[in-house]
DNA sequence: GAGCACTGC
């Protein structure tokens, strides 16, 4: 039996106490403990149903409230509730299970509770964790489940996200958290000993963190036979997970499947491919508005510019229609939706559609024009029509030139299905796909490529090494990244001295991993005390890890640029970011000040938040916080400090046309127009390479070649292929050693006595 | 002389 149920071997004394106390109680069932007779991991659905009906809350020992009973009745109607018996049968028997539950099945709220009744984590000081890809989901689901369980949020049921730990150690036994947060925990406790069961929700989204966690958990399941794992996914790609988590290699992990509860959506395709999807989308929206029954429209486009443009055009045409034919066409409002919109404007998607223009006139309609944010992160009720041109911007990583960029690409079938589903949330709907059925069948990929195949993995590799994963190439990935991507990551970490030549974590790398930053940034942060500017580098790293702080409204570009010019430091954009933050602080974090200076208050607040978090980590690892007082010296120190993390992101000026060439891979790039440098320095470091209308480098600072050359391991010039940048570096290295020579010469001269050194200096 | 798909630590 111990073999069947390894969990029993780890029983905690208090649990035995509960069981024996309950056994002694000979009174009627209703006066017994609600969990009377519960044996962990051998609980069945009948027992749980009884416990749920009990007058007492088993976890607080308080009588259940009326609200509890009301919510319980609603819970009983969820599809997943009807299959509780089946769930416990599978869960009791297996260590790892895969669950598929379509939208509306209730899996996210119910399954973790079912698990809690089986694990009884509160009796052994353990937790049940359920991960979510997004913070808002973790928070809102935790709140809902706390209500369902009749407990206060943050006590028995809590959540944990970056910047907010809403749990109570020793009390919380059911925790919703972001997948990134659990990955961080795995870094420092690779056995995840606090948890009795870990549930990975929304696994089909294949976020980088979920993918890495799946790999870690698969290995961990062997070491911790008492740990149970549930992979929850919404679509039918479950077989891939079942095979991945196969027991002893061939028997797929068992599947627990629950139907969803949505309305049917009728799908239409175009007869011919559309040459211009934006134009076709606008036409389709207007066609729906003229000819279809009332109901709101959701149109998917790829980015801010496209969305704002389409909004204007639709509005113009719709106003024309309304003017020419008010009898049959109602008013229409267009609401743009993308992540960089301020939350207040995002809220507009929940506004009701406009009222009809006359008492008996046709009803108004709302059109939401959105990026992919409406595909997963935000749901809008009342959508009946979806218009899907079949494209989205997707991140792609090119390890050869070490560049992540955004490309407009065709979506996957899974994504198209998800979009169509958005039309059936409140009643039957229609989805208009602006591509042919043939293209859908034969051209679209089944699934969107998981993020791990499209990302720079420097950060991830460092986290994995810190979690004790020795061989990253052999690590059991659900989908293995390109070897070249791993090589690039290992190479960067080695140059930054986070990993030694054998790929082992160095003391420096171990601290770097603790910072929620790209490795280049954690490196400069840790190195900054040497340059006596750690307070400043702290600010700069925080500013670099939040969205763009500069606002540039379409109709006030000149004003915005003028405001920016006043804050610009000509030696480099990094110094400008420091200046912006300091000015923000000097102005008491005033929102009016940010508004008047065309700065994003949201991004600055976020930067301040990140800065505090990073500062705490610095204090924890005794990274000293110091500054030099003299501003000129300080700026110089900062520029030098930046070089010890960004020596691989350097560009050299070529000719007089403002062209730059990146080091080692010799890409021709231009300074981004947002760059604030007043001259075109010979050598610059850059924070990012962006590929838009042409290759640009963005957030750029003027540096000296000898600061770069200090990183001798990277600048082993004799092994570099010949190029103009290499020759320029060699020239400056020669000059540098020349300087050393003359210094030695001077020293020798002064040793010999005589006042010639003074003379010499005057001559020079 | 241009941009920020979306998350997350």
């Amino acid at each position: 039996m111990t073999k069947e149920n390894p969990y029993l071997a780890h029983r905690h004394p208090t649990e035995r106490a509960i069981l024996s106390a309950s056994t002694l109680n000979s009174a009627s069932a209703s006066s017994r403990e609600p969990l009377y007779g519960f044996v962990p991991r051998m609980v069945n659905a009948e027992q749980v149903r009884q416990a749920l009906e009990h007058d007492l809350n088993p976890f607080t020992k308080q009588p259940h409230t009326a609200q509890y009973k009301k919510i319980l009745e609603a819970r009983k109607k969820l599809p997943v509730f009807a299959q509780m018996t089946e769930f416990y049968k599978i869960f009791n028997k297996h260590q790892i299970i895969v669950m598929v539950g379509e939208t509306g099945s209730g899996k996210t709220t119910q399954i973790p509770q079912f698990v809690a009744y089986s694990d009884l984590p509160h009796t052994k000081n353990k937790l049940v964790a359920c991960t979510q890809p997004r913070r808002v989901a973790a928070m809102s689901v935790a709140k809902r489940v706390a209500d369902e369980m009749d407990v206060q949020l943050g006590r028995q049921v809590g959540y944990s996200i970056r910047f907010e730990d809403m749990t109570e150690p020793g009390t919380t036994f059911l925790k919703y958290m972001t997948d990134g947060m659990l990955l961080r925990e795995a870094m420092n406790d690779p056995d995840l000993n606090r948890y009795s069961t870990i549930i990975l929700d929304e696994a089909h989204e294949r976020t980088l963190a979920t993918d890495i966690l799946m790999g870690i958990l698969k290995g961990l399941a062997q070491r911790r036979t008492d740990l149970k794992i549930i992979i929850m996914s919404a679509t039918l790609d479950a077989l891939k997970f079942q095979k991945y988590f196969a027991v002893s290699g061939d028997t797929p992990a068992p599947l627990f499947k629950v139907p969803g509860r949505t309305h049917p959506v009728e799908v239409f395709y175009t007869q011919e491919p559309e040459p211009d999807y934006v134009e076709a989308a606008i036409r389709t929206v207007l066609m729906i508005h003229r000819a279809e029954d009332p109901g709101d429209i959701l149109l998917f486009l790829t980015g801010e510019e496209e969305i704002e443009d389409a909004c204007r055009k639709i509005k113009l045409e719709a106003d024309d229609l309304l003017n020419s034919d008010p009898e049959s066409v109602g008013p229409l409002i267009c609401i743009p939706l993308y992540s960089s919109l301020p939350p207040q404007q995002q809220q507009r998607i929940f506004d009701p559609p406009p009222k009809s223009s006359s008492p008996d006139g046709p009803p108004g309609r709302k059109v939401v024009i959105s990026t992919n944010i409406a595909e997963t992160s935000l749901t809008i009720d009342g959508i009946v029509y979806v218009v899907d041109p079949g494209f989205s911007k997707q991140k792609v990583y090119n390890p050869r030139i070490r560049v992540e960029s955004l490309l407009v690409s065709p979506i996957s079938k899974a994504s198209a299905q998800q979009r169509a589903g958005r039309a059936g949330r409140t009643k039957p709907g229609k989805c208009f796909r602006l591509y042919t059925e043939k293209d859908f069948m034969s051209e679209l990929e089944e699934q969107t490529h998981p993020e791990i195949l499209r990302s720079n993995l420097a950060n991830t590799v460092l986290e994995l090494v810190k979690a004790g994963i020795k061989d990253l190439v052999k690590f059991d990935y659900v989908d293995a990244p390109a070897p070249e991507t791993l090589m690039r990551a290992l190479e960067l970490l080695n140059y930054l001295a986070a990993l030694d030549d054998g790929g082992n974590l160095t003391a420096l790398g171990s601290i770097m991993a603790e910072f929620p930053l790209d490795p280049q940034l954690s490196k400069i942060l840790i190195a900054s005390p040497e340059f006596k500017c750690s307070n400043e580098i702290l600010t700069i790293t925080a500013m670099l890890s939040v969205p763009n702080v500069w606002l540039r409204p379409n109709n006030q570009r000149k004003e915005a640029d003028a405001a920016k010019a006043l804050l610009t430091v000509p030696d480099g954009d990094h110094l400008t970011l420091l200046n912006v933050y300091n000015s923000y602080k000097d102005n008491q974090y005033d929102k009016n000040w940010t508004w008047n200076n065309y700065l994003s208050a949201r991004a600055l607040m976020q930067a301040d938040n990140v800065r505090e978090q990073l500062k705490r980590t610095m204090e924890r690892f005794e990274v000293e916080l110091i500054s030099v007082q003299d501003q000129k010296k300080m700026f110089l120190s900062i520029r030098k400090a930046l070089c010890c993390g960004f020596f691989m992101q350097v560009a050299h000026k070529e000719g007089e046309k403002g062209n730059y060439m990146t080091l080692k891979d010799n890409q021709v790039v231009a300074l981004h127009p947002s760059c604030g440098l007043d001259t075109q320095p010979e050598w610059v470091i850059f924070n990012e390479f962006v590929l838009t209308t042409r290759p640009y480098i963005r957030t750029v600072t003027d540096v000296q070649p000898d600061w770069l050359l200090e990183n001798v391991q990277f600048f082993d010039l004799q092994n570099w292929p010949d190029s103009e940048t290499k020759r320029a570096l060699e020239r400056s290295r020669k000059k540098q050693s020349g300087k050393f020579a003359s210094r030695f010469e001077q020293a020798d001269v002064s040793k010999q006595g005589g006042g010639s050194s003074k003379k010499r200096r005057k001559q020079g």
Side-chain angles (χ1 to χ4, degrees), chain A residues 183-184 187 208 212 404 455-467 472 485 488-490 492-493 496 505 509 512-522 545:
Chain A
L183 188 54
R184 288 255 132 199
M187 222 171 62
L208 192 45
I212 298 296
E404 273 182 355
S455 309
N456 169 355
L457 296 179
N459 234 334
T460 308
V461 165
L462 186 59
E463 282 167 353
L464 278 172
V465 177
K466 174 107 185 187
L472 288 147
T485 304
R488 286 300 191 193
L490 290 165
L492 173 72
L493 292 167
L496 291 172
L505 195 65
M512 280 170 63
E514 295 284 338
F515 288 93
L517 292 171
D518 279 342
Q520 293 95 323
L521 292 174
S522 48
S545 44

Side-chain angles (χ1 to χ4, degrees), chain A residues 366-436:
Chain A
K366 173 169 87 179
V367 185
V368 176
I369 308 183
S370 171
T371 61
N372 255 7
I373 192 171
E375 197 180 298
T376 48
S377 309
L378 275 170
T379 54
I380 313 157
D381 280 330
I383 296 293
V384 181
Y385 306 98
V386 162
V387 180
D388 173 21
F391 291 95
S392 70
K393 274 192 195 169
Q394 285 168 33
K395 185 169 74 183
V396 284
Y397 177 62
N398 182 341
R400 196 180 58 74
I401 55 171
R402 305 185 184 86
V403 168
E404 273 182 355
S405 48
L406 287 171
L407 266 184
V408 173
S409 326
I411 60 171
S412 64
K413 281 183 194 149
S415 205
Q417 235 168 343
Q418 179 78 11
R419 287 180 172 189
R422 294 299 187 191
R425 292 192 62 84
T426 36
K427 60 175 179 172
K430 290 181 181 174
C431 173
F432 298 89
R433 292 185 175 154
L434 305 182
Y435 37 92
T436 64

Side-chain angles (χ1 to χ4, degrees), chain A residues 514-532:
Chain A
E514 295 284 338
F515 288 93
L517 292 171
D518 279 342
Q520 293 95 323
L521 292 174
S522 48
K523 173 73 188 278
I524 59 169
L525 196 49
I526 297 168
S528 58
E530 284 174 42
F531 297 87
K532 308 254 182 304

